Amino acid sequence: MKSVVNSLGKIAPRSIRASLQLGIAAVGTIVILGSVAWFATIFFAMPQSDSGFAEGLAIVVFGLYVLAGFVVLAVGLLIPQRGNDGIRFAPRQRKLLAYGAIAPVVSVLLIPIGATIAPPFAEEVNFVLVAVLVGLILSGPLATLSVVIGKLKG
């Protein structure tokens, strides 16, 4: 990690790193807020179907956009800062941000693996696998939100 910080410090001056950090974090925030607003607009405007397939598909698609926005936000905030430029985080906060960037990606990549392995198992085992997967998917954005809220509070 220190070699990445040192090489980034040699490549980009502080103001560029701060601009990158805030710019990428802003893109992630815009994706999150835009996806939620777009979902609300589309979801409540679409006619109700009997099967609920369209509604479920909208939830999955916009949920993936929000999840991607949280990953971009966490990656943007992880850009290291020195001096008075940008937003600096404590080591514990940086670990939470790294977890917030990695956990959703790993969990989404595990979905196809779980879909191929899970069918032969009993229903109780499948329930546990789905619960663990949902926990992984939700824990990344929650870790990122906890860091952001903690930084905003003080």
Side-chain angles (χ1 to χ4, degrees):
M1 184 77 175
K2 293 206 184 267
S3 62
V4 173
V5 173
N6 292 337
S7 61
L8 188 58
K10 292 175 186 173
I11 295 172
R14 289 185 182 125
S15 61
I16 293 175
R17 286 187 286 155
S19 299
L20 274 174
Q21 181 190 41
L22 297 177
I24 293 173
V27 168
T29 304
I30 290 170
V31 168
I32 294 167
L33 296 176
S35 297
V36 169
W38 189 258
F39 171 75
T41 303
I42 287 181
F43 190 75
F44 294 116
M46 81 170 60
Q48 299 295 321
S49 65
D50 292 334
S51 66
F53 177 76
E55 293 88 354
L57 187 61
I59 291 170
V60 169
V61 169
F62 286 107
L64 286 175
Y65 279 121
V66 169
L67 196 63
F70 273 108
V71 170
V72 172
L73 175 64
V75 168
L77 292 176
L78 270 173
I79 296 174
Q81 302 297 314
R82 291 188 184 147
N84 294 329
D85 294 335
I87 305 169
R88 290 178 300 190
F89 294 97
R92 181 180 173 277
Q93 291 173 325
R94 294 187 66 73
K95 287 177 186 174
L96 282 173
L97 285 172
Y99 180 81
I102 293 171
V105 173
V106 169
S107 60
V108 168
L109 292 176
L110 286 177
I111 290 174
I113 296 169
T116 57
I117 294 174
F121 292 132
E123 190 173 322
E124 295 82 19
V125 175
N126 286 340
F127 177 75
V128 170
L129 290 175
V130 169
V132 167
L133 186 64
V134 168
L136 266 176
I137 289 174
L138 293 177
S139 66
L142 289 176
T144 304
L145 277 176
S146 70
V147 170
V148 170
I149 290 171
K151 199 65 171 176
L152 288 174
K153 280 186 175 180

